[in-house]
Amino acid sequence: MSFMKIYHIALSAAMSLCAIAATAQVKEDFVSSPNNQPGKEYPMVNSERCVRVKVKAPEAQSVKLDIGGVKYDLVKDAEGFWTGESAPQDEGFHYYQLNIDGADVPDPSSLYYYGASRWGSGIDVPAADQDFYAVKNVPQGQMREIYYWSEVNQAMRHCFVYTPADYDQNKDKRYPVLYLQHGGGENEYGWPQQGHTAQIMDNLIAEGKAVPFIIVMENGSWTMPRPAAGAPAMQRPQGQRPPQGQGQRPQGGRPQGGGFGMPANWADGFANTLIKDVIPMIDSRFRTIADKEHRAMAGLSMGGMQTKAITVAHPEVFSNLGIFSGGTITVDDTKNNPEFAKDLKLVFVSFGSRELENRVAGFGDGTDPRQETEALAASGVNAHFYVSPGTAHEWQSWRRALYQFAQLLFK
Amino acid sequence: MSFMKIYHIALSAAMSLCAIAATAQVKEDFVSSPNNQPGKEYPMVNSERCVRVKVKAPEAQSVKLDIGGVKYDLVKDAEGFWTGESAPQDEGFHYYQLNIDGADVPDPSSLYYYGASRWGSGIDVPAADQDFYAVKNVPQGQMREIYYWSEVNQAMRHCFVYTPADYDQNKDKRYPVLYLQHGGGENEYGWPQQGHTAQIMDNLIAEGKAVPFIIVMENGSWTMPRPAAGAPAMQRPQGQRPPQGQGQRPQGGRPQGGGFGMPANWADGFANTLIKDVIPMIDSRFRTIADKEHRAMAGLSMGGMQTKAITVAHPEVFSNLGIFSGGTITVDDTKNNPEFAKDLKLVFVSFGSRELENRVAGFGDGTDPRQETEALAASGVNAHFYVSPGTAHEWQSWRRALYQFAQLLFK
């Protein structure tokens, strides 16, 4: 898949940059990370965007900081604390971990996030534009955690639903809905936590830059495993904080043997869940405007590819879409899918500048998403292209993409 | 404080039990924990309630499992994996960690919870009665994450609000409210995550055993630190997943130097926040029945002590209270506080059987909470006492306490 290729090329580019920077003197203006556990001084970040960690491991022989695909050796002091820093990182959010005598473990001083197929450490490098996702004293929406029964999966599933600030005040008002998906190795916690979805939307709505709408965040990676006797823990969606007790299978419900009517393909698999279960559930539990003009799908990376696959295949469901670092919509896509093209209201395509440069330089598939999107716009589609400056295939690109996309949506 | 004394005695008792059991042969019927990260086989629990962990640390000299106040040595295999198990644990939830060559770190295979003043590993030992907090296919409430401006703290604060399943269906119905507090070293994530508050309530309401009510979970440990220049990370509540960007202080808001009108005492400090900020915010954002007869406070351990202090001091605000492993209400309490006693609708007091035995045996303050509660009931107060069988000062006691308390409340 081309996005993986892009990702690895972007990673290699970042590594080279770090290796050069690491040889220079480190600037001693480190401040605590906003992602630290309460009361913890470390990890810290300096004005050159280097990350410094500190961990107590008095009997260890080797401790490393593993961030951005590079492992940095830490140095031990007399009290048994290991300290060291990375080369400069991009602005925004990064997953990382420590390696203690060969054991990959979370940093006990950081908060934890789900990405790279694990719950582990994350750190935010201060960004010049971080104000747009800060918690501010503006009218506040709500991030709601929801369980629901999925017929497709024959199991209880779990999602988050953002409702805008006025949702509970205007009891008869109905709202458009955006279905917003995470990337590969991530889950439904990505947009609420790393993505700061609620803060981005609250701030945009408060400034009058976006119309209020509902956002639904589900787990697009889940494929139902074959149930093993006596192993309820295996029945929960990938990456999800599971319920305790009898696991997620409700009493009396029993999955049929393997398959559950879901194709092996992840995109089709999530399409069934989304179209047959999630959307009807949202339309019944929330005051939505339940038509395609007022329904959008967007996603990052794998979620962007799912967005394209699902919106093209279901023009009766969606008229608006956003693809963040996950491909493009071309003129051919509209020509080959007239039903999809017919009522298309909005197409939004975005990339981080670093990943885009690599793609256009031919390290990806060699196509130029900007040109493709401009051609699409020239063909009469309401198509927009956005590039996140100075970022790669990472969360700062996607926070910014949501910020831009939300200002165009449902207007 | 007597609860700390009880806690440490209970811990010592558990340690003795474990030490005896650890000498016996381990039963080989381990199954994966429901608190594992997705796709992880370990940690596992067997039918004797022993916890087995496995972690890769090829170059480590020593790896230990640290659970229930005891450190258990793990054994290394040829591939560099360390494995070993604890003595039997009580049914229910336990915090734990690994120690790798002297470094205390979370188990990279478990989900993470906030307790013992840190985000770290947790594991659920299957309980005979775990059905009451299982996710079931019943009408589902919502767990809502909320930010709000606190005048008392001159900062944005963060809480969770559970709304019952019919809240969004009956648009004109108003609901009673329970303010439910965590214990020391925990935060507002405790009841939603470890406590399974939403599942307990959804199941009780579906069975007709509880009336629907709203539950508010805030952070009772927070005292506002003096703001340090350039250190926005220090301005967030203890234990809270922080916002990124400019930290929690809204733009334009500037805390005055030290104090912020809050007494040093934690109970009074949270009283101000609760009474002046949280309750008015909840009454304005949610369809509450905003009188004392339809308002309750309850809490576990430190939260129970806060409940007593705040409800006794504010009889104009609360008529219902629950104290889980955090003290009692005595006949003297009502005699000395006639305003508090006058309209008292419900008093609920509970303990885990292990901590209660120690307290009554005189290792605590020597009083007998059951006798005190029975005396209170005999004096004419609607007072109830509950003992969680076979558990100590731990979450299984408090899940059960909520389950019992909720069936008595607002009826």
Side-chain angles (χ1 to χ4, degrees):
Chain A
M1 284 179 287
S2 67
F3 94 99
M4 286 305 294
K5 204 170 163 191
I6 296 169
Y7 179 80
H8 285 120
I9 290 162
L11 203 63
S12 307
M15 283 167 68
S16 316
L17 186 79
C18 291
I20 294 162
T23 58
Q25 188 75 23
V26 173
K27 199 167 175 185
E28 286 299 335
D29 58 355
F30 287 88
V31 295
S32 297
S33 157
N35 315 54
N36 287 6
Q37 292 200 20
K40 296 294 173 75
E41 186 182 11
Y42 287 85
M44 303 182 92
V45 187
N46 74 359
S47 61
E48 296 173 327
R49 307 193 307 271
C50 298
V51 172
R52 176 175 282 173
V53 295
K54 184 175 183 179
V55 63
K56 188 173 187 179
E59 290 124 44
Q61 301 303 305
S62 159
V63 180
K64 295 182 172 75
L65 162 63
D66 180 357
I67 186 167
V70 180
K71 287 180 183 166
Y72 302 88
D73 286 316
L74 307 186
V75 177
K76 187 180 175 178
D77 70 13
E79 283 81 44
F81 286 94
W82 295 75
T83 311
E85 56 279 329
S86 75
Q89 307 294 309
D90 286 346
E91 293 189 343
F93 181 87
H94 305 276
Y95 301 110
Y96 78 101
Q97 63 185 0
L98 301 180
N99 184 283
I100 301 177
D101 283 349
D104 288 326
V105 293
D107 182 347
S109 294
S110 82
L111 295 176
Y112 303 125
Y113 302 87
Y114 193 76
S117 300
R118 63 167 185 250
W119 287 95
S121 294
I123 187 162
D124 251 84
V125 173
D129 59 347
Q130 64 190 13
D131 184 64
F132 79 84
Y133 50 90
V135 174
K136 298 181 194 174
N137 188 9
V138 298
Q140 295 285 319
Q142 300 175 359
M143 188 60 75
R144 308 183 183 196
E145 186 175 17
I146 309 253
Y147 286 91
Y148 67 97
W149 171 253
S150 164
E151 277 295 322
V152 168
N153 301 278
Q154 289 290 302
M156 294 299 287
R157 286 181 63 108
H158 177 258
C159 66
F160 290 99
V161 179
Y162 166 81
T163 54
D166 65 355
Y167 186 86
D168 278 343
Q169 311 305 323
N170 300 333
K171 288 192 293 183
D172 295 315
K173 186 175 172 185
R174 305 189 75 88
Y175 294 81
V177 185
L178 165 63
Y179 293 83
L180 183 61
Q181 292 302 121
H182 57 82
E186 297 176 334
N187 66 12
E188 71 273 30
Y189 289 81
W191 278 109
Q193 293 184 355
Q194 295 93 301
H196 296 293
T197 296
Q199 288 69 49
I200 291 171
M201 293 306 303
D202 288 347
N203 294 341
L204 278 174
I205 294 167
E207 292 173 21
K209 292 181 177 171
V211 300
F213 53 86
I214 294 166
I215 303 180
V216 179
M217 292 143 280
E218 236 281 12
N219 188 324
S221 299
W222 188 26
T223 49
M224 185 66 151
R226 198 181 182 100
M234 295 302 292
Q235 291 166 25
R236 74 184 110 94
Q238 192 183 14
Q240 180 173 317
R241 181 172 292 278
Q244 265 85 54
Q246 298 200 330
Q248 265 205 306
R249 203 170 68 195
Q251 291 192 308
R254 191 185 173 282
Q256 295 103 39
F260 308 102
M262 288 172 67
N265 179 285
W266 48 257
D268 282 346
F270 186 63
N272 278 334
T273 300
L274 181 65
I275 306 275
K276 295 179 183 170
D277 289 330
V278 182
I279 293 175
M281 181 275 291
I282 294 295
D283 285 337
S284 74
R285 292 200 199 172
F286 292 87
R287 299 193 314 277
T288 63
I289 307 173
D291 60 37
K292 65 180 184 176
E293 286 77 16
H294 297 89
R295 199 180 288 124
M297 184 172 180
L300 71 92
S301 192
M302 181 189 82
M305 294 187 282
Q306 290 174 308
T307 295
K308 179 171 180 173
I310 292 171
T311 55
V312 168
H314 293 279
E316 79 285 6
V317 178
F318 296 100
S319 295
N320 310 272
L321 68 111
I323 302 179
F324 312 159
S325 307
T328 57
I329 299 288
T330 64
V331 172
D332 278 354
D333 290 327
T334 56
K335 282 186 182 159
N336 297 337
N337 300 279
E339 281 300 311
F340 165 70
K342 186 161 60 78
D343 299 316
L344 205 48
K345 283 187 65 186
L346 175 65
V347 171
F348 176 90
V349 174
S350 71
F351 286 89
S353 66
R354 295 196 203 285
E355 57 178 343
L356 183 66
E357 286 155 17
N358 283 310
R359 186 182 177 119
V360 175
F363 296 110
D365 59 11
T367 59
D368 184 338
R370 181 190 295 275
Q371 288 178 5
E372 289 174 329
T373 309
E374 285 171 355
L376 187 65
S379 80
V381 173
N382 180 23
H384 299 257
F385 190 73
Y386 171 72
V387 178
S388 164
T391 60
H393 198 75
E394 58 200 8
W395 271 100
Q396 195 68 6
S397 303
W398 307 322
R399 291 169 177 167
R400 290 171 177 166
L402 175 61
Y403 178 75
Q404 298 294 330
F405 179 55
Q407 297 182 54
L408 302 169
L409 200 50
F410 305 127
K411 282 185 171 172
Chain B
M1 286 178 285
S2 67
F3 95 100
M4 286 304 296
K5 203 168 163 191
I6 295 169
Y7 179 79
H8 286 121
I9 290 162
L11 204 63
S12 308
M15 284 167 68
S16 316
L17 186 79
C18 291
I20 294 162
T23 57
Q25 187 74 25
V26 172
K27 199 167 174 184
E28 286 299 335
D29 58 355
F30 286 88
V31 295
S32 296
S33 157
N35 314 54
N36 288 7
Q37 292 199 20
K40 296 294 173 76
E41 186 182 11
Y42 287 83
M44 304 182 92
V45 186
N46 74 358
S47 62
E48 296 173 326
R49 307 194 307 272
C50 297
V51 172
R52 175 175 283 172
V53 294
K54 185 175 182 178
V55 63
K56 188 172 188 179
E59 289 123 45
Q61 301 304 305
S62 159
V63 181
K64 295 183 173 73
L65 162 63
D66 181 356
I67 187 168
V70 180
K71 288 180 181 164
Y72 301 89
D73 287 315
L74 307 187
V75 177
K76 188 180 176 180
D77 70 13
E79 283 80 45
F81 287 95
W82 295 75
T83 312
E85 56 278 330
S86 75
Q89 306 294 310
D90 287 346
E91 292 188 342
F93 181 87
H94 305 275
Y95 301 110
Y96 77 100
Q97 64 186 0
L98 300 181
N99 184 282
I100 300 177
D101 282 348
D104 288 326
V105 292
D107 182 346
S109 295
S110 82
L111 295 175
Y112 303 125
Y113 303 87
Y114 193 76
S117 299
R118 63 167 185 250
W119 287 96
S121 295
I123 187 164
D124 251 84
V125 173
D129 59 348
Q130 64 190 14
D131 183 64
F132 79 83
Y133 50 90
V135 174
K136 298 181 194 174
N137 188 9
V138 297
Q140 295 284 319
Q142 299 175 359
M143 186 61 73
R144 307 183 184 196
E145 187 174 16
I146 310 253
Y147 286 91
Y148 67 98
W149 170 253
S150 164
E151 277 295 323
V152 168
N153 302 277
Q154 288 291 302
M156 296 297 288
R157 286 180 62 108
H158 176 257
C159 66
F160 290 98
V161 178
Y162 165 81
T163 53
D166 65 355
Y167 185 86
D168 278 343
Q169 310 306 321
N170 300 331
K171 288 193 291 183
D172 296 315
K173 186 176 171 184
R174 303 188 77 88
Y175 294 80
V177 186
L178 165 63
Y179 293 84
L180 183 60
Q181 291 302 122
H182 57 83
E186 297 177 332
N187 66 10
E188 71 272 29
Y189 289 81
W191 278 109
Q193 293 185 354
Q194 296 94 301
H196 295 293
T197 295
Q199 287 70 49
I200 291 171
M201 292 307 302
D202 288 346
N203 293 341
L204 277 174
I205 294 167
E207 292 174 21
K209 290 180 177 171
V211 300
F213 54 86
I214 294 166
I215 303 181
V216 179
M217 292 144 280
E218 235 282 12
N219 188 325
S221 299
W222 187 27
T223 50
M224 185 67 151
R226 197 181 183 102
M234 294 302 292
Q235 291 166 25
R236 71 185 111 95
Q238 193 183 17
Q240 179 173 316
R241 181 173 292 278
Q244 264 84 54
Q246 298 199 331
Q248 264 204 309
R249 202 171 68 195
Q251 291 192 307
R254 192 183 173 281
Q256 294 102 40
F260 307 102
M262 289 172 66
N265 179 285
W266 48 259
D268 281 346
F270 187 63
N272 278 333
T273 301
L274 181 65
I275 305 277
K276 295 180 183 172
D277 288 331
V278 183
I279 293 175
M281 181 275 290
I282 294 295
D283 284 338
S284 73
R285 291 201 201 172
F286 292 87
R287 300 194 311 278
T288 64
I289 307 174
D291 61 36
K292 65 180 184 174
E293 287 76 17
H294 297 89
R295 198 181 289 123
M297 184 172 180
L300 70 92
S301 194
M302 181 189 82
M305 294 188 282
Q306 289 174 310
T307 296
K308 179 171 179 173
I310 292 172
T311 56
V312 167
H314 293 280
E316 78 285 6
V317 179
F318 296 101
S319 295
N320 310 271
L321 70 110
I323 302 177
F324 311 159
S325 307
T328 58
I329 299 288
T330 64
V331 172
D332 279 354
D333 289 327
T334 56
K335 280 186 182 162
N336 298 337
N337 300 280
E339 281 301 312
F340 165 69
K342 187 162 59 77
D343 298 314
L344 205 48
K345 282 187 65 186
L346 174 66
V347 171
F348 176 90
V349 174
S350 71
F351 286 89
S353 66
R354 294 196 204 286
E355 57 177 344
L356 184 65
E357 285 156 17
N358 283 312
R359 185 180 176 122
V360 175
F363 295 109
D365 59 12
T367 59
D368 184 337
R370 180 190 295 275
Q371 286 178 5
E372 289 175 328
T373 310
E374 285 172 355
L376 187 66
S379 80
V381 173
N382 181 24
H384 298 256
F385 189 74
Y386 170 72
V387 178
S388 164
T391 61
H393 198 76
E394 59 199 8
W395 271 101
Q396 195 67 7
S397 301
W398 307 321
R399 292 168 176 166
R400 289 172 177 165
L402 175 61
Y403 179 75
Q404 298 294 331
F405 179 55
Q407 297 182 56
L408 301 168
L409 200 51
F410 305 126
K411 283 184 172 173

